[in-house]
Amino acid sequence: MHIQEWLETIPAVSVYALVAGVIGLESLGIPLPGEIVLISAALLSAGHDGINPWLVGAFASAGAIIGDSIGYAIGRKGGRPLLARLGGKFPKHFGENQIAMAERSFEKWGMWAVFFGRFVALLRIFAGPLAGVLHMPYWKFLIANVLGGVVWAGGTTAVIYSVGVVAEAWLKRFSYLGLVAAVLIGVASMLIVKNRAKKAAASAAPAPESAAVAATD
């Protein structure tokens, strides 16, 4: 069976549920490929008459907003010990370098770190829990969370769907290449963020002379 024919057999409700579920869990603080799932669903809606791109965007937005809100509540209650436990379970995602990068973003941008963090792979995982840990006022968090979730999910869906419609004939023959491209984009963004995290941690670390002075005081 051709891959496009197989994709067209997938029930629309299962696509919506998968998009909302994966993005919601990622926003809650669990490392999952939310952006890849959203891109794949948007591509699928371009060549699948039964899948509505408006609903893809709506379910993605809902998952992002609800997941971030739950993550905020967990972070607010768990505090710093929660980040330490997550670092032990997911060192590649919640290691000291990643946390340092996320904290610097929050110090610089405040509530807008939640908004802009929605567009960066690792910050999507951190935004909700870290905002709670840092006791950001909930009303500020909620505004940035809703705006970021809607703009990111709706915008991504609209752009990818439009590209899919324009290239529909090509995607019918080579739709799997779109998924491969999405994976490559996701991996590239992760590598960029990891590099920035290392630089942030290095600049945040005290100089050797300062450490020595602190030790003698």
Side-chain angles (χ1 to χ4, degrees), residues 68 72 105-106 109-119 123-124 126-128 130-131 136 140-149:
D68 250 10
Y72 175 91
S105 297
F106 270 75
W109 298 105
M111 64 181 287
W112 295 112
V114 177
F115 177 87
F116 292 113
R118 177 57 58 185
F119 299 86
L123 287 181
R124 267 199 307 279
F126 280 116
L130 190 56
M136 176 183 291
K140 290 185 176 182
F141 169 79
L142 183 61
I143 291 174
N145 179 26
V146 172
L147 289 177

Side-chain angles (χ1 to χ4, degrees), residues 35-144:
E35 189 166 45
I36 293 175
V37 170
L38 177 57
I39 290 174
S40 301
L43 278 174
L44 184 58
S45 70
H48 193 310
D49 293 335
I51 298 177
N52 189 321
W54 287 95
L55 290 179
V56 171
F59 274 84
S61 299
I65 294 168
I66 294 171
D68 250 10
S69 296
I70 295 174
Y72 175 91
I74 293 173
R76 182 112 184 180
K77 184 176 181 179
R80 294 280 176 179
L82 173 64
L83 295 180
R85 289 196 298 271
L86 290 173
K89 292 182 179 180
F90 306 104
K92 292 183 178 180
H93 298 86
F94 289 91
E96 293 182 3
N97 290 350
Q98 289 81 357
I99 292 176
M101 183 271 293
E103 288 187 328
R104 285 170 62 87
S105 297
F106 270 75
E107 290 173 2
K108 183 176 181 179
W109 298 105
M111 64 181 287
W112 295 112
V114 177
F115 177 87
F116 292 113
R118 177 57 58 185
F119 299 86
V120 181
L122 283 179
L123 287 181
R124 267 199 307 279
I125 301 172
F126 280 116
L130 190 56
V133 169
L134 298 178
H135 288 259
M136 176 183 291
Y138 183 69
W139 69 269
K140 290 185 176 182
F141 169 79
L142 183 61
I143 291 174

